[in-house]
Amino acid sequence: MNKDIYDMRFDGSEEDLKLQDFISRAEPVNCSNERLTARIYEKIQADKIRQNRKRWRIVAAVAVTLMMCSMWLALNITQKQLVTTPQSTAHKQVQTSVMQEINVPTGHTLQLTLPDGTRLTANSRTQIRYAKPFDKHTRHLYLKGEAYFEVAHEANRPFVVHAQGFDVKVLGTHFCVNSYNKKRCNVVLAEGRVEVNTALNDKVNLQPNDCLNITQGEFASKTKVNATAYVERLKGVLPMEGMPLTDVVNYLENYYGVNFQVESSLCNETLYGKLVTGAPLADVLTSLCNISGAVAEVKKGVVTIKKKSTAKALTTHQTTNTQL
């Protein structure tokens, strides 16, 4: 541009003289392009720095605002947790199951209503354990001894009795379980239907008046019986109705916690009549001997049932009353 201006030719007119004067005054003196470029670059950089500072001030203000909001939100959440935690803990404590354990004294029976409405009668020397409340999926009960169950029906929550070496599973029915000793157990169904499972995964379904005998956790036999007789003995009466003498003394052994021995010649004897098991053992032995025509001898805590011809010269009444 400078070269083009200096190459211009002016005449001596008044207009050309004014134009020449204006151009000479407007043209920068001693100004280099490099310095001008540098100044422009510095100006641009200064403007960028001012803009960046302005942006950072805006970002910082937003960040502080977000941080304050986060702190406020966190504080409110913490306060809510402090308020609700005791209530939640209390609710969980209400729902927590507690294991109940019941032991029936010798010579007594116990009637009990469980949390689901199931009713049971437990015989002498029976041990029962169950969770209160029951599990929401399955109602579990653990039994050692003898009990009669009237289970409240729940289609979606089975009732399971865990005995010695086997389980009895029902939805709602009436049945008896005898599980004093693993060697001689049985399940008798009064009404409805039950499923019996062993630890070996064997399974048997019972019909009313079925008696399933179980030995050492294995199914031994299934017979037809009068289920009413098994229910009555939970009421303190033992109907014998052709019961073998060995089964009678086995029942008395479990009921009173006393060891019995039966003379081999009497093992196949069948008895009829009733024994009132709520009475003292001495009185029960007297009734038993009157019905069977045998003699009971007691020595060192063991009751031996013998024929009269081989018994010692001692009456049954004297023996039972002086040694028991």
Side-chain angles (χ1 to χ4, degrees), residues 52-310:
N52 287 338
R53 286 177 179 173
K54 185 177 180 180
R55 291 193 189 99
W56 278 113
R57 284 196 294 269
I58 295 172
V59 171
V62 173
V64 170
T65 303
L66 291 175
M67 183 175 67
M68 295 298 294
C69 291
S70 299
M71 292 176 63
W72 178 84
L73 182 61
L75 181 62
N76 277 271
I77 292 174
T78 302
Q79 290 176 345
K80 287 181 180 180
Q81 288 177 342
L82 291 174
V83 172
T84 58
T85 297
Q87 296 177 355
S88 300
T89 303
H91 179 70
K92 288 181 180 179
Q93 289 176 347
V94 171
Q95 296 299 320
T96 300
S97 295
V98 178
M99 209 66 182
Q100 307 291 316
E101 184 169 342
I102 298 173
N103 293 281
V104 183
T106 301
H108 294 79
T109 59
L110 173 69
Q111 292 184 342
L112 181 67
T113 300
L114 300 177
D116 65 332
T118 293
R119 294 181 296 175
L120 66 84
T121 302
N123 213 342
S124 171
R125 301 176 61 248
T126 294
Q127 299 175 7
I128 296 172
R129 290 189 303 114
Y130 64 94
K132 184 179 180 181
F134 281 127
D135 181 81
K136 63 181 180 180
H137 300 297
T138 306
R139 296 169 286 172
H140 297 280
L141 183 141
Y142 299 85
L143 173 73
K144 182 180 180 182
E146 184 177 33
Y148 169 64
F149 295 87
E150 295 180 355
V151 178
H153 182 81
E154 291 190 25
N156 298 320
R157 190 167 64 150
F159 189 99
V160 180
V161 178
H162 302 278
Q164 298 197 75
F166 64 96
D167 298 332
V168 182
K169 181 179 179 181
V170 304
L171 297 178
T173 187
H174 299 179
F175 61 97
C176 297
V177 178
N178 186 315
S179 180
Y180 282 104
N181 193 312
K182 286 185 177 182
K183 295 179 180 179
R184 296 172 66 103
C185 299
N186 61 57
V187 178
V188 176
L189 180 60
E191 63 178 64
R193 186 170 64 89
V194 303
E195 177 184 293
V196 183
N197 297 273
T198 69
L200 300 177
N201 295 323
D202 295 324
K203 180 171 70 175
V204 173
N205 292 315
L206 302 184
Q207 299 297 325
N209 294 311
D210 279 349
C211 175
L212 181 65
N213 298 301
I214 304 166
T215 302
Q216 296 291 358
E218 295 184 3
F219 298 142
S221 63
K222 185 170 73 170
T223 58
K224 283 292 184 181
V225 297
N226 179 8
T228 303
Y230 287 82
V231 176
E232 285 185 2
R233 66 193 203 180
L234 272 298
K235 299 177 182 179
V237 177
L238 178 63
M240 291 182 285
E241 298 183 1
M243 234 176 136
L245 178 58
T246 51
D247 288 350
V248 174
V249 298
N250 179 68
Y251 178 83
L252 296 177
E253 189 173 66
N254 291 327
Y255 189 93
Y256 291 102
V258 176
N259 292 326
F260 276 76
Q261 289 182 353
V262 178
E263 192 176 73
S264 58
S265 59
L266 295 174
C267 287
N268 295 324
E269 292 290 325
T270 55
L271 304 180
Y272 293 86
K274 295 183 179 180
L275 292 177
V276 180
T277 54
L281 178 58
D283 295 342
V284 173
L285 290 178
T286 299
S287 298
L288 176 63
C289 291
N290 289 337
I291 294 172
S292 64
V295 175
E297 293 183 351
V298 182
K299 187 176 182 181
K300 296 182 180 180
V302 178
V303 179
T304 303
I305 308 296
K306 298 181 177 181
K307 283 186 175 181
K308 285 185 178 180
S309 58
T310 58

